[in-house]
Amino acid sequence: MMKDNSERIDKFLRNQMTSEENEAFWEDFKNDMDFREEVQITALMIKELQERQAKEDAEIIEEVLACKAKEKSAKKAKIVRMVRWVGSIAAMFILLFGSVRFYQIKQMDNLFNEYYSPYESQGMSRGGDDDVEKELANLFNQIETEEDVAPTLQKLQSIYDKIDSEYEYSLYADDISWYLALGYIKVHDIEKANSILHAIHLDDDESELGQKVKDLLKELE
């Protein structure tokens, strides 16, 4: 039997939880798929109600503008009541999605800090161009050190797009994919990170990198 969480969600939306209740709410949101789905459905319902009510308010305003002065006063009062109600719903909606987004960002930041480690050059051990490895090592490490990581990601993405056609880069295909995925996690682009991680074809799934890829994909589910 599914637990009724409506009162709990309502209390959260009205910002009436204690710090302990709020912490427990987010813990359940993270670990309980049914609860997370119920919260998300509630948020979508609020959004739909908000949009529907906004449409009705617009229609009422049009009527008010066309009606007589006496009728106008009565309908104005109705509009005021409705606008206040919609405002409170909108505030709850913003609170919920703002909190969910904050949680997602915090989760991505934690994942980046957990999985990122500076790249250690392996010299010519792979038979590749030492200058290419130095270039890649610099880009990999800039993902952590640069405040604005967008230019680095753009360069690394362009290299990733040609690793199948350029031999000197194909030797480092797994590392390029791994650090590019971590870069997208740093900027909170889960979709791109997932796509790149799923595309990694490891010769040994039980290797250190293979295990990291599997663990990170599981975290991103």
Side-chain angles (χ1 to χ4, degrees):
M1 181 177 180
M2 185 179 292
K3 183 179 178 181
D4 183 6
N5 290 296
S6 57
E7 290 187 10
R8 187 182 183 199
I9 294 173
D10 180 70
K11 191 174 182 180
F12 168 79
L13 291 173
R14 296 180 186 279
N15 200 24
Q16 295 176 345
M17 282 185 166
T18 64
S19 58
E20 291 79 8
E21 289 173 332
N22 191 67
E23 183 177 345
F25 179 94
W26 284 115
E27 186 67 23
D28 289 344
F29 185 87
K30 176 182 177 181
N31 299 315
D32 188 334
M33 185 178 297
D34 290 335
F35 178 66
R36 181 164 63 250
E37 183 178 353
E38 186 175 351
V39 173
Q40 291 169 339
I41 288 174
T42 301
L44 289 173
M45 289 175 63
I46 291 173
K47 181 180 180 181
E48 184 178 347
L49 283 171
Q50 180 189 6
E51 292 173 348
R52 185 183 303 172
Q53 193 61 55
K55 182 179 178 180
E56 291 178 2
D57 286 349
E59 292 173 352
I60 292 173
I61 289 172
E62 289 181 6
E63 291 179 14
V64 168
L65 294 175
C67 71
K68 297 178 182 178
K70 185 176 180 181
E71 296 171 336
K72 188 184 297 185
S73 297
K75 289 193 175 181
K76 272 186 176 179
K78 181 179 180 181
I79 291 174
V80 170
R81 290 194 299 271
M82 286 188 173
V83 168
R84 286 175 179 170
W85 179 79
V86 172
S88 64
I89 292 295
M92 289 190 292
F93 177 74
I94 292 170
L95 172 64
L96 175 62
F97 274 90
S99 298
V100 170
R101 180 59 180 158
F102 174 78
Y103 168 79
Q104 291 173 336
I105 289 173
K106 185 177 179 181
Q107 184 184 40
M108 290 301 98
D109 290 343
N110 289 340
L111 284 177
F112 178 80
N113 292 331
E114 178 182 354
Y115 283 91
Y116 179 88
S117 58
Y119 180 80
E120 296 182 7
S121 175
Q122 300 177 38
M124 299 292 288
S125 61
R126 303 188 190 187
D129 187 332
D130 194 43
D131 288 338
V132 169
E133 185 173 29
K134 288 179 179 178
E135 174 194 9
L136 292 174
N138 185 50
L139 290 172
F140 296 160
N141 293 330
Q142 281 179 354
I143 290 174
E144 179 187 33
T145 59
E146 293 293 320
E147 185 174 342
D148 180 9
V149 76
T152 300
L153 288 181
Q154 187 175 6
K155 291 178 185 177
L156 202 52
Q157 179 68 56
S158 67
I159 293 173
Y160 174 82
D161 292 336
K162 57 188 178 186
I163 54 177
D164 291 331
S165 59
E166 298 195 11
Y167 175 75
E168 62 268 31
Y169 289 122
S170 66
L171 294 172
Y172 304 95
D174 292 343
D175 290 327
I176 292 169
S177 301
W178 174 248
Y179 280 96
L180 182 58
L182 288 176
Y184 282 125
I185 287 175
K186 184 176 181 178
V187 297
H188 314 132
D189 193 333
I190 301 176
E191 184 176 347
K192 286 185 178 179
N194 254 317
S195 176
I196 291 170
L197 290 170
H198 278 292
I200 295 178
H201 299 293
L202 296 164
D203 294 330
D204 182 7
D205 287 345
E206 300 306 318
S207 66
E208 181 180 357
L209 179 59
Q211 191 59 52
K212 286 181 178 179
V213 170
K214 288 190 290 186
D215 290 345
L216 184 51
L217 281 170
K218 188 174 180 180
E219 294 270 18
L220 292 173
E221 289 178 354

